[in-house]
């Protein structure tokens, strides 16, 4: 149990375009989802926390207008990178948590490359 | 603010030998501690956690970790390393408020045959 999927696994886009990444909890209801960003050979940095049906809470330094997060249902959260630039190239990982559980379950990640 | 330190960028061990990956933490209040493993271009896989109870926590794939409150440490251990254990290991502490995780910088484990 407790599987989280991400789609796409890899995406290459041109500078200035927008990219949407989906995060789904497949066998449980995720009241909270987290979006992390990982640069090569670095740790995961929390970008934002999203709760179903409410606005996401962004970490300091993360532009909410650039990284749009929608947690429309208990099984789906999306991250849209708007007007992507090469410096947005990174590995984006989501995690999901069900209410009452101490564990987060991580998706497999999405590798974004902006040309 | 909470923080996690993994002092070693890389740990090298020979197959069959015991391994230890170090982690120290700083939190206010009771710590919720986790270990995750990451293989290349993959997400994180949960290994084990400490919430409360026994200081020695047993997890997946034969790994265990010892919670030491006086030393604020949560070192990951395995009695006999396998080549397939070679990966990137992250220690993390959970924020009791937001439930988000703060990760250490990661330690690359290389097990030589």
């Amino acid at each position: 149990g407790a599987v989280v999927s991400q789609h796409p696994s890899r995406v290459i886009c041109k500078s200035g375009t927008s990219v949407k990444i989906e995060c789904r909890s497949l066998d449980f209801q995720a009241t909270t989802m987290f979006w992390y960003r990982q640069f090569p050979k670095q740790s995961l940095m929390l970008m934002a926390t999203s709760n179903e049906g409410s606005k996401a809470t962004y970490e300091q330094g993360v532009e909410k207008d650039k990284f749009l997060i929608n947690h429309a249902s208990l099984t789906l959260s999306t991250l849209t990178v708007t007007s992507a630039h090469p410096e947005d190239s990174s590995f984006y990982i989501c995690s999901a948590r069900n209410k009452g559980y101490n564990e987060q379950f991580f998706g497999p990640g999405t590798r974004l490359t902006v040309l | 603010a909470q923080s996690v330190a993994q002092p070693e960028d890389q740990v090298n061990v020979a197959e069959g030998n015991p391994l230890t990956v170090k982690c120290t933490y700083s939190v206010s209040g009771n710590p919720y501690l986790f270990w995750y493993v990451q293989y290349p271009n993959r997400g994180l896989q949960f290994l084990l956690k400490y919430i409360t109870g026994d200081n020695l926590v047993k997890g997946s794939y034969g790994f265990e970790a010892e919670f030491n409150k006086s030393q604020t440490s949560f070192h990951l251990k395995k009695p006999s390393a396998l080549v397939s254990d070679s990966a990137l290991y992250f220690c993390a502490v959970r924020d009791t408020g937001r439930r988000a995780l703060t990760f250490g910088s990661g330690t690359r484990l290389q097990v030589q045959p």
Side-chain angles (χ1 to χ4, degrees):
Chain A
V3 177
V4 176
S5 70
Q6 278 184 244
H7 177 79
S9 58
R10 290 178 177 270
V11 57
I12 300 173
C13 69
K14 293 182 179 180
S15 185
T17 60
S18 294
V19 175
K20 180 185 284 187
I21 303 170
E22 292 186 349
C23 176
R24 293 182 184 272
S25 57
L26 299 185
D27 50 4
F28 67 101
Q29 293 184 328
T31 51
T32 305
M33 286 186 170
F34 304 92
W35 287 95
Y36 295 85
R37 183 174 180 176
Q38 185 181 29
F39 290 103
K41 299 184 179 180
Q42 293 190 27
S43 188
L44 282 74
M45 300 300 295
L46 180 67
M47 298 175 67
T49 302
S50 75
N51 294 298
E52 187 266 339
S54 62
K55 290 184 178 180
T57 302
Y58 289 81
E59 295 300 298
Q60 191 173 7
V62 178
E63 299 175 57
K64 63 179 181 180
D65 294 330
K66 180 166 186 61
F67 298 99
L68 301 178
I69 292 173
N70 187 329
H71 192 161
S73 77
L74 285 172
T75 59
L76 174 64
S77 176
T78 60
L79 168 67
T80 302
V81 184
T82 62
S83 187
H85 289 98
E87 57 265 30
D88 298 325
S89 299
S90 190
F91 195 51
Y92 292 89
I93 303 176
C94 73
S95 71
R97 175 183 168 271
N98 196 3
K99 187 176 181 180
Y101 285 85
N102 292 312
E103 247 175 84
Q104 290 181 30
F105 301 98
F106 285 81
T110 296
R111 168 86 48 205
L112 170 63
T113 302
V114 184
L115 303 177
Chain B
Q2 59 192 34
S3 65
V4 177
Q6 293 180 244
E8 304 154 315
D9 289 338
Q10 181 156 328
V11 170
N12 298 308
V13 297
E15 187 174 29
N17 283 1
L19 69 87
T20 299
V21 182
K22 296 179 180 177
C23 171
T24 58
Y25 65 90
S26 174
V27 297
S28 56
N30 295 322
Y32 288 13
L33 298 160
F34 301 81
W35 274 101
Y36 289 87
V37 59
Q38 185 181 32
Y39 294 96
N41 294 310
R42 302 289 297 277
L44 273 66
Q45 294 179 33
F46 170 79
L47 282 179
L48 49 82
K49 65 182 177 185
Y50 172 83
I51 304 298
T52 185
D54 291 341
N55 290 342
L56 185 62
V57 179
K58 293 188 182 297
S60 306
Y61 313 119
F63 284 93
E64 58 188 28
E66 187 169 10
F67 171 66
N68 188 316
K69 188 173 183 178
S70 63
Q71 297 185 5
T72 61
S73 67
F74 190 56
H75 302 331
L76 181 70
K77 300 181 179 183
K78 187 173 183 180
S80 179
L82 300 172
V83 173
S84 57
D85 293 330
S86 298
L88 189 56
Y89 290 80
F90 289 100
C91 182
V93 61
R94 200 191 86 181
D95 184 315
T96 55
R98 299 173 303 174
R99 311 291 196 225
L101 292 175
T102 298
F103 286 88
S105 54
T107 298
R108 185 163 300 281
L109 173 66
Q110 191 68 42
V111 181
Q112 285 112 11

